[in-house]
Amino acid sequence: NEGLDPAAAMTRINNALSANNAQNMFVTLFIGLFDPATGRLDYANGGHCPPLVWSGAPGQGNGEITLQELTDLSGPVVGALPGLEYALHTATLNPDDVCLLYTDGVSEAIDEQGGFFGTDRIKSLALLSGEAPPERLLADIYAAVVSFRGKAAQSDDITLLAFKRAAEEPA
């Protein structure tokens, strides 16, 4: 551990990957540091799908679920261009908020007719999840992708990560 923030770590990774990259390979990359006590999420996003954060578990506010995309990019894909500096971004998750990260293999899953699963389906599943634990959301999204794909071959990785900030303890 060198004490790097996510943007500094991404900058270092980009420089290492791009140093010997004659084939111009690259990756999309999201690096985040989450403090569950404060809800602070420091992150860098190098061309990755925007994470989704939703709020509104029953008992909070007006009971409406709101969905936010963390669309701030820190820079382009990682490994393609040397010498880039990636920017640090910060978001705050409130108690009971859920954050979902996913790869483009989820949003760009292809069905038998050549259609894409799409981010709107992911957002709809997130909004329908309500109070379900993150494990259930992940299982539901995965099952929906597999069902959508039908007999079409899997075209890319399907990677999902979700976490929930714990509710505050009553005083």
Side-chain angles (χ1 to χ4, degrees), residues 141-164:
I141 292 174
Y142 181 75
V145 168
V146 169
S147 175
F148 172 83
R149 213 176 62 225
K151 294 181 182 178
Q154 184 174 327
S155 59
D156 202 350
D157 69 293
I158 296 175
T159 306
L160 298 153
L161 170 75
F163 62 94
K164 181 177 184 175

Side-chain angles (χ1 to χ4, degrees), residues 26 45 62 87 105 157 165:
F26 63 87
N45 186 343
N62 59 9
D157 69 293
R165 182 174 177 207

Side-chain angles (χ1 to χ4, degrees), residues 36-39 57 60 92-97 164-171:
T38 65
Q60 291 183 336
T92 302
L93 277 66
N94 295 311
D96 286 325
D97 283 1
K164 181 177 184 175
R165 182 174 177 207
E168 290 182 337
E169 295 293 323

Side-chain angles (χ1 to χ4, degrees), residues 104-122 125 140-155 158:
D104 60 1
V106 177
S107 56
E108 296 176 3
I110 300 172
D111 67 10
E112 295 172 52
Q113 291 74 42
F116 290 105
F117 187 74
T119 55
D120 286 344
R121 279 190 178 90
I122 297 168
L125 289 165
D140 289 350
I141 292 174
Y142 181 75
V145 168
V146 169
S147 175
F148 172 83
R149 213 176 62 225
K151 294 181 182 178
Q154 184 174 327
S155 59
I158 296 175

Side-chain angles (χ1 to χ4, degrees), residues 10-85:
M10 188 170 289
T11 297
R12 186 173 288 184
I13 292 166
N14 178 69
N15 289 334
L17 291 177
S18 62
N20 296 306
N21 191 4
Q23 295 181 336
N24 201 26
M25 302 289 288
F26 63 87
V27 297
T28 65
L29 182 61
F30 183 91
I31 301 174
L33 290 174
F34 178 64
D35 181 347
T38 65
R40 181 179 170 142
L41 174 65
D42 290 333
Y43 68 92
N45 186 343
H48 199 67
C49 300
L52 300 174
V53 176
W54 65 95
S55 307
Q60 291 183 336
N62 59 9
E64 253 182 65
I65 296 175
T66 60
L67 186 66
Q68 172 190 7
E69 283 185 286
L70 302 182
T71 57
D72 293 323
L73 286 177
S74 303
V77 294
V78 176
L81 300 168
L84 296 177
E85 292 288 327

Side-chain angles (χ1 to χ4, degrees), residues 123-145:
K123 290 176 183 178
S124 292
L125 289 165
L127 289 171
L128 290 172
S129 71
E131 286 188 273
E135 299 85 6
R136 176 63 186 263
L137 171 68
L138 297 177
D140 289 350
I141 292 174
Y142 181 75
V145 168

